[in-house]
């Protein structure tokens, strides 16, 4: 072994030494190790300092609340239920006001399909089908989930019966069938109004800050979203030229634009997940697709030639349906993000939150002496 | 003849031995909650959950020479055994759509496992983040207040195993009196930051498992103002009625205005 290949250890005062700050620091560490006396904190290893519980960090920033444990079926359920509920309302009023029979027929179809899908999605989330029945053994007015189960259970049969009656009436005739369709259709519209709105109460009446603090606007927001999706689905079935449906589509997208603007302008800490992160992207994309974009397309369609107008309406409808689904997914995701934020339920001011690297006061003195090392 | 019972968990007496966690797991036959190294003091449990019904928190502060433990000057390290609070008005109980969650004759909040259907609405309704759904089983679980042991006249497993009587079990009324006496005693001894955590002035209306802690309860992950979320439902239904009204009137007007098309 040749002595010369090993790097020669530099001595203080050696002309070859690089007296950069880092080299000086190494010398300092060495002398501190020799004397056993550490005068100041040095470079902090990754993850340091040791986490401490404090009024600013809560309990090590461990979220106090539990995240929602719903699977993917639930946001889809919110979307399908909203669209189907609104479609049932449209079907009933269309029948009552003597609108085109095709509109009534197709709206009843959407409501019926949705009314079968919704309990299927709920059962799928519960895992064991018979577990759904456990919810029918009691009725608790104070629990939005319990009220909702009865809305779903009432909506299903009513919407399916109305569709069956409508089908039989279109393929034959009978005054009795018309009465039957009116009665079941009325019930399905009544439950449909619940379907389109109750999900807002359901997530609003929880401990999740972003949902709870928006409980006043959530049911209205979801009703408009459901109306937009229901009407759009109906228009996609070949009713682009219906004046009534176009008016409804404009109203729904106008309402959603206003709801979106309201959320964007509300600067409260609980609303952060609606504006940042993945949930923020989804919510905002959903907001644009169900608010301003279809509104602009629908207004343009009103002044366009007939063929162009149809295309614009179809585009607006597709955007609204996608937007409605994304809105529900965004809100559910925002609930997850909100539950993970330890600050909100503990009422810790966001401004107080120190970053992990600058947590202790000691680091300030480090930074003053070793600006490079403090920034790593 | 049963009386309403309660837990008084006194963190000034807790030594962080986790005997309560172990006793709870053994008695209730709970699964493990992961073998994870958290780096948060000596707490590798983290939080209560479906398989963790007692959880010892290690509240560690910046160490200061000459201070520590239960010295009156500075609480540099305190331990507190967390548990389901068995709220006087329980968010989970109100929200449960199956009636699975009930109030027992001991005043505790109990989840009947044969009725729970796993809707997980209680999970988001608990203002303390206690109850959780077991993803494999599908149902929700939390502390039973050892309903089985209490039925047999025994003390809950955690209180029984506690070596310092940091976990006190007894009649709720008597424990409240004892807690206030203990707070006075601690204040007399110079621990002026000792508090009783029992939010009686919120919609929760007080706890059946309350805590004596030192300093701000937020560092123990205890919320300053817990509310049972179902109290907001009335407000929500009001907006739902407005939304439904808008939907119905709007649809009717559009169809009337739109004519036959």
């Amino acid at each position: 072994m040749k002595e010369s290949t090993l790097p020669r250890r530099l001595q203080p005062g050696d002309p070859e030494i690089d007296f950069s700050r880092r080299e000086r620091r190494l010398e300092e560490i060495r002398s501190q190790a020799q004397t056993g006396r550490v005068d100041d904190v040095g470079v902090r290893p990754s993850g340091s300092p040791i986490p401490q519980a404090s009024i600013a960090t809560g309990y090590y920033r461990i979220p106090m609340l539990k995240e929602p444990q719903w699977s993917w079926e639930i946001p889809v359920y919110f979307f399908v239920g909203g669209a189907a509920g609104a479609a049932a309302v449209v079907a009933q009023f269309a029948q009552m006001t003597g609108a085109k029979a095709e509109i009534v027929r197709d709206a009843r179809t959407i409501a019926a399909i949705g009314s079968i899908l919704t309990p299927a999605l709920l059962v799928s989330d519960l895992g064991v089908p018979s577990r759904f029945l456990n919810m029918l053994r009691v009725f608790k007015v104070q629990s939005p989930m319990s009220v909702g189960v009865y809305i779903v259970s009432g909506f299903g049969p009513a919407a399916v019966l109305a569709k069956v009656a409508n089908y039989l009436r279109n393929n034959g005739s009978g005054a009795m069938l018309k009465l039957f369709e009116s009665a079941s259709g009325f019930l399905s519209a009544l439950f449909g109004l619940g379907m389109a709105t109750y999900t807002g109460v359901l997530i609003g009446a929880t401990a999740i800050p972003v949902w709870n603090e928006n409980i006043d606007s959530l049911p209205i927001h979801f009703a408009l979203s459901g109306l937009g999706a229901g009407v759009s689905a109906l228009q996609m079935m070949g009713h682009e030229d219906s004046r009534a449906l176009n008016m409804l589509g404009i109203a729904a997208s106008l309402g959603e634009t206003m709801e979106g603007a309201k959320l964007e302008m509300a600067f409260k800490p609980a609303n952060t997940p609606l504006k940042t992160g993945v949930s923020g992207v989804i919510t905002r994309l959903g907001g644009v697709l169900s608010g301003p974009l279809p509104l602009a397309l629908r207004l343009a369609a009103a002044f366009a030639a007939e063929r162009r107008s149809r295309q614009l309406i179809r585009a607006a409808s597709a955007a609204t349906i996608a937007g409605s689904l994304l809105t529900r997914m965004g809100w559910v995701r925002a609930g997850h993000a909100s539950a993970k934020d330890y600050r909100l339920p503990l009422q810790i001011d966001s401004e107080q939150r120190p970053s992990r690297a600058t947590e202790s006061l000691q680091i300030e003195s480090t930074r003053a002496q070793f600006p490079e090392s403090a920034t790593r | 003849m049963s009386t309403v019972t309660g837990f008084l968990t006194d963190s000034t007496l807790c030594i962080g031995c986790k005997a309560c966690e172990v006793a709870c797991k053994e008695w209730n036959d709970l699964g493990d909650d992961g073998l994870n190294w958290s780096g948060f003091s000596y707490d590798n449990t983290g939080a209560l959950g479906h398989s963790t019904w007692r959880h010892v928190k290690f509240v560690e502060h910046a160490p200061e020479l000459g201070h520590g433990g239960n010295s009156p000057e500075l609480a540099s390290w305190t331990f507190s055994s967390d548990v389901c609070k068995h709220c006087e008005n329980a968010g989970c109980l109100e929200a449960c759509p199956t009636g699975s969650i009930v109030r027992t004759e001991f005043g505790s909040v109990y989840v009947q496992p044969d009725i729970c259907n796993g809707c997980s609405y209680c999970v988001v309704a608990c203002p303390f983040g206690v109850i959780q759904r077991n993803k494999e089983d599908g149902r929700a679980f939390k502390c039973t207040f050892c309903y089985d042991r209490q039925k047999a006249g025994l003390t809950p497993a955690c209180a029984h195993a506690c070596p310092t009587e940091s976990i006190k079990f007894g009649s709720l009324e008597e424990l409240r009196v004892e807690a206030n006496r203990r707070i006075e005693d601690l204040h007399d001894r110079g621990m002026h930051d000792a508090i009783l955590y029992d939010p009686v002035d919120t919609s929760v209306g007080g706890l059946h498992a309350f805590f004596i802690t030192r300093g701000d309860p937020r560092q123990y992950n205890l919320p300053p103002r817990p509310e049972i979320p179902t109290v907001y439902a009335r407000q929500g239904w009001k907006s739902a009625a407005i939304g439904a009204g808008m939907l119905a009137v709007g649809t009717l007007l559009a169809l009337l205005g739109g004519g036959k098309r």
Side-chain angles (χ1 to χ4, degrees), chain A residues 92 108 157-159 161-163 165 179-189:
Chain A
Q92 187 60 15
R108 292 238 183 274
L161 284 178
K163 176 62 205 166
L179 192 70
F180 190 71
E181 187 189 342
S182 295
S184 52
F186 176 76
L187 278 178
S188 77

Side-chain angles (χ1 to χ4, degrees), chain A residues 59-60 66 137 140 143 202, chain B residues 43 48 58 93 95 98 121:
Chain A
Y59 186 66
Y60 306 106
K66 291 273 179 286
R137 64 188 279 280
K140 288 167 79 173
S143 165
L202 181 80
Chain B
D43 178 8
L48 295 171
F58 286 65
L93 194 156
T98 62
Y121 195 48

Side-chain angles (χ1 to χ4, degrees), chain A residues 347-359:
Chain A
Q347 298 180 3
I348 291 171
D349 190 0
S350 314
E351 302 304 314
Q352 282 182 9
R353 185 179 193 180
S355 73
R356 200 176 167 110
T358 58
E359 194 161 4

Side-chain angles (χ1 to χ4, degrees), chain B residues 21 33 50 72 91 105 107 114 117 135 137 151 153 158 164 187 202 246 257:
Chain B
E21 268 191 58
D33 37 28
H50 63 82
E105 64 268 40
D114 54 334
N117 74 339
K135 285 199 173 119
D137 182 282
K151 271 282 201 195
C158 53
T164 61
H187 285 184
T202 71
M246 281 165 62

Side-chain angles (χ1 to χ4, degrees), chain A residues 256 281-291 319-320 322-327:
Chain A
E256 280 290 83
V281 171
I282 298 176
T283 317
R284 277 181 161 156
L285 187 63
V288 170
L289 284 177
S290 50
T320 307
S324 178
L325 178 61
L326 284 174
T327 298

Side-chain angles (χ1 to χ4, degrees), chain B residues 21 25 30-36 44-55 132:
Chain B
E21 268 191 58
K25 273 197 186 284
L30 302 178
D32 79 279
D33 37 28
L35 301 167
N36 306 311
N44 292 320
T45 308
L48 295 171
H50 63 82
S51 65
T52 309
W53 299 350
R54 267 281 178 191
H55 161 228
Q132 195 180 26

Side-chain angles (χ1 to χ4, degrees), chain A residues 50-55 57-71 85-86 89-100 103 125-127 131-149 151 192-194 196-198 201-208 211-212 215-220 223-224 226-227 241-245 247-248 342 345-349 356, chain B residues 38-43 46-50 55-63 77 92-101 112 114-121 123-135 137-139 216-225 227 229-237 239-261:
Chain A
I50 292 166
Q52 287 162 3
S54 71
I55 297 165
T57 59
Y59 186 66
Y60 306 106
R61 302 199 179 94
I62 295 176
M64 188 206 74
L65 295 173
K66 291 273 179 286
E67 272 183 69
Q69 289 182 294
W70 289 323
S71 44
V89 178
V90 171
Q92 187 60 15
F93 281 133
Q95 195 191 3
M96 280 164 59
T97 56
K100 269 204 312 194
I103 291 184
D125 176 62
L126 293 178
R131 281 182 179 169
F132 185 85
L133 299 175
N134 292 15
M135 291 196 276
L136 300 175
R137 64 188 279 280
V138 288
F139 175 70
K140 288 167 79 173
V141 73
Q142 71 271 38
S143 165
M145 179 73 96
S146 181
V147 176
V149 162
I151 293 175
L193 288 172
T197 52
Y198 101 86
V201 187
L202 181 80
I203 66 168
T206 64
I208 308 293
W211 294 345
N212 184 259
I215 191 167
D216 283 332
S217 57
L218 268 171
I220 297 168
L224 289 166
L227 178 64
D241 51 354
S242 161
R243 202 143 64 98
L245 292 183
M247 281 161 66
L248 267 180
Y342 72 96
L346 297 182
Q347 298 180 3
I348 291 171
D349 190 0
R356 200 176 167 110
Chain B
S38 73
F40 300 140
S41 195
Y42 285 78
D43 178 8
L48 295 171
H50 63 82
H55 161 228
V56 181
K57 296 175 194 170
F58 286 65
V59 179
E60 193 168 342
H61 303 267
W77 206 15
C92 59
L93 194 156
E94 296 294 310
C96 178
T98 62
S100 160
I101 305 183
Q112 302 174 81
D114 54 334
I115 294 173
C116 175
N117 74 339
C119 75
S120 73
Y121 195 48
V123 176
V124 286
C126 174
F128 296 99
V130 171
I131 194 164
Q132 195 180 26
R133 181 185 185 184
N134 180 335
K135 285 199 173 119
D137 182 282
R139 294 172 298 172
D216 196 304
R218 287 180 288 183
Q219 25 189 359
Y220 295 83
N221 243 349
L222 295 170
R225 282 200 67 82
E227 303 279 358
T230 40
V231 296
Y232 300 102
R234 185 181 290 271
Q235 221 175 316
W237 287 120
S239 344
I242 295 169
M246 281 165 62
L247 191 57
V249 173
T251 309
L252 187 61
L253 286 180
L255 282 159
L256 285 174
K260 287 271 173 192
R261 296 180 60 204

Side-chain angles (χ1 to χ4, degrees), chain B residues 79-165:
Chain B
F79 320 110
S80 181
S81 181
D82 199 9
V83 69
C84 171
K85 281 80 187 169
H86 297 279
C87 312
E88 187 65 47
N89 302 308
C92 59
L93 194 156
E94 296 294 310
C96 178
T98 62
S100 160
I101 305 183
V102 291
R103 178 83 53 190
T104 69
E105 64 268 40
F106 305 110
S108 59
V109 179
Y110 178 69
V111 188
Q112 302 174 81
D114 54 334
I115 294 173
C116 175
N117 74 339
C119 75
S120 73
Y121 195 48
C122 52
V123 176
V124 286
C126 174
F128 296 99
V130 171
I131 194 164
Q132 195 180 26
R133 181 185 185 184
N134 180 335
K135 285 199 173 119
E136 281 156 38
D137 182 282
R139 294 172 298 172
F141 295 94
K142 71 165 192 73
C143 164
T144 64
F145 218 130
C146 276
Y147 185 54
D148 49 350
R149 290 178 62 86
Q150 286 205 54
K151 271 282 201 195
L154 300 166
T155 58
C158 53
H160 190 90
C162 181
T164 61
E165 286 187 8

